[in-house]
Amino acid sequence: MSLRDFAAYLGVSDRTVSNWEGGGASYQPRAESQAVLDTALDRASNDAQARFAAALGTNDAAPPGTGRIEVDSHKFLPVFIGIECASRLRAHMTPSADDQWLESSSARVGHPEALDCVLHVFACGVAVFHLVQPHEPAALTDLAVWRYRSYACDLPWARDELRDLLGEDHGSVPNPEYVLSLYWLTSGPWAGHAYDTALRLLSTPSVLVDRGAPGGPAPLGGTVEESLLATGFDHPDIVSFGVRGVSTAYAGWSGVAYASHSRERSLTIDELVSCELAVQALWCFTRQIQQMIEDGRDPSMPEQYGWRFLRAASSRLTTARAQETAQHVLMREAIMKTSGLAERLRAAQDALRESVD
């Protein structure tokens, strides 16, 4: 591209690009300019990315292998408990300092196997358990099998924990419906494209597991993982949100996988967790509205959590903020797309608006 064409492509002035070129190899763009460039590179074709990497002498898509797998598993278990019950629980919790647009409080609770477990209760009536469980599995297949088998224990545990906290009998405490996983990979034995494939498999572990096995979820076989790592693995529902040289990251329907290659420039685990908490809380909230419709009832929520609340939430999650980096935007876009939350928010808005009219 010419200087003028490149400037127009990026949405910056001709003078800005001239300053970049005039500054030479030592020039450091401002943070907002770097974010624009990072986004353009991430969305460029594979060929363009390969040329860029070759020019920098960084053809490897990922760091070299380190010998063993080390990963922190973050699980999210959301359940709609109702606005009144949420208010009762929040009275004994610490208000969250972040994301005041989605009011919440939190408290640590005990879990038999988790290193850390925090219960987040949102004013809109959703409770989300966040479990942190470090692992050093021998293979990705082992981690995938553990993931599915542990769900059978995590879901009833979450229900019983809520029963105890609310002082309710079993029949009046709703069941969490699913578990969303986020994996923060700190090391792995792979190199090059196999590293990238490993992150894809972490975000879509079902390809490594026979979930219908008679004795419960079981590995498909050692050669399946080995073959996929050697040949590569892709899935139409996987969305990349990593930035070359900074991170490798994928989002899928059942989970998110992230590996930081540059601690100073990459996202933090707190930023990923914060995004998932908001998405899972709103997904669960809209699921409750859908359930009302499926039960033959007119959906209704208190006015402060009606269709205007959902419209504001949708804007918060789909509109880039001035202070956000390109990585934050890419993360939200990937998680929103793979969760299907944007469509659910629109449907719930329409349903609540119609019930008011």
Side-chain angles (χ1 to χ4, degrees), residues 128-139:
V128 182
F129 288 96
H130 171 214
L131 282 63
V132 183
Q133 297 166 290
H135 283 276
E136 293 187 25

Side-chain angles (χ1 to χ4, degrees), residues 113-125:
E113 297 181 0
L115 175 68
D116 191 22
C117 179
V118 178
L119 174 61
H120 299 265
V121 180
F122 294 82
C124 63

Side-chain angles (χ1 to χ4, degrees), residues 1-123:
M1 296 181 184
S2 67
L3 182 150
R4 180 169 297 176
D5 290 340
F6 188 53
Y9 175 76
L10 295 176
V12 300
S13 68
D14 297 358
R15 176 172 293 182
T16 295
V17 178
S18 292
N19 289 338
W20 294 342
E21 292 189 341
S26 62
Y27 183 79
Q28 294 293 321
R30 292 181 302 171
E32 54 267 33
S33 296
Q34 187 62 61
V36 170
L37 290 164
D38 285 343
T39 301
L41 176 61
D42 188 70
R43 292 176 172 171
S45 67
N46 290 336
D47 181 60
Q49 290 188 9
R51 293 199 309 274
F52 184 84
L56 293 180
T58 56
N59 284 309
D60 288 338
T66 57
R68 66 175 184 267
I69 303 172
E70 295 181 351
V71 60
D72 289 337
S73 166
H74 293 257
K75 293 177 184 172
F76 301 89
L77 292 77
V79 57
F80 187 84
I81 60 175
I83 294 169
E84 182 179 343
C85 287
S87 179
R88 285 167 51 193
L89 289 181
R90 294 183 67 236
H92 307 285
M93 293 180 164
T94 303
S96 174
D98 302 324
D99 294 328
Q100 290 300 317
W101 65 274
L102 194 57
E103 189 180 355
S104 69
S105 300
S106 63
R108 278 184 163 77
V109 296
H111 184 278
E113 297 181 0
L115 175 68
D116 191 22
C117 179
V118 178
L119 174 61
H120 299 265
V121 180
F122 294 82

Side-chain angles (χ1 to χ4, degrees), residues 34-35 37-39 41-42 52 56 58 60-63 184-185 195 241-249 258-268 271 325-328 330:
Q34 187 62 61
L37 290 164
D38 285 343
T39 301
L41 176 61
D42 188 70
F52 184 84
L56 293 180
T58 56
D60 288 338
W184 180 274
L185 181 69
Y195 191 98
F241 63 97
V243 174
R244 185 176 291 272
V246 176
S247 63
T248 304
Y258 192 89
S260 169
H261 309 320
S262 173
R263 183 176 298 180
E264 297 77 13
R265 296 180 60 197
S266 66
L267 296 170
T268 67
E271 290 167 331
T325 66
Q327 293 182 80
H328 286 94
L330 291 170

